[in-house]
Amino acid sequence: MKDTGLKHTPGPWEPKVEASSGYRVLAKDKRQTIVCEVSGSASNPVSEADANLIAAAPTMLKEILETMDRLNALLAQPKYTKDDDLASALGTMHMDLNRVAAIADGSWPRS
């Protein structure tokens, strides 16, 4: 996978229960860098789900970027570009994943 130039705190991240304030999402580094805090009761299932989703972000982004690399490799093979429908479908998937990656790094326009 190529260097993405993204500036976020490297993953993996993990949610930790904070009894008084809900959840903290921490980087799994030596310092346990606080990535964010999710307010709400630790017993609130929505707060827990939010913390889990945020903690999964670096892993999901990594998987998206690796999938884009695999799609690029497929699109470079003549046997796939000869089939117009397949090439179009693969190209559309690549554009969709590229948009998701741009949303993740903040470069996609927000409405």
Side-chain angles (χ1 to χ4, degrees), residues 8-10 12-16 18 21 23-38 54:
H8 68 273
T9 303
W13 299 348
E14 63 183 343
K16 292 285 187 176
E18 293 292 320
S21 61
Y23 289 85
R24 281 188 174 169
V25 176
L26 306 172
K28 286 182 153 182
D29 56 16
K30 290 180 183 179
R31 296 183 358 219
Q32 289 203 316
T33 303
I34 299 171
V35 176
C36 76
E37 294 181 324
V38 178
I54 293 165

Side-chain angles (χ1 to χ4, degrees), residues 68-106:
M68 288 175 61
D69 287 346
R70 288 190 296 273
L71 281 171
N72 279 337
L74 285 175
L75 288 167
Q77 295 181 26
K79 66 181 176 182
Y80 293 110
T81 56
K82 287 180 184 175
D83 181 337
D84 289 342
D85 290 336
L86 180 59
S88 177
L90 291 173
T92 299
M93 288 170 53
H94 187 273
M95 286 188 304
D96 291 345
L97 290 171
N98 194 43
R99 184 177 62 249
V100 171
I103 290 167
D105 76 9

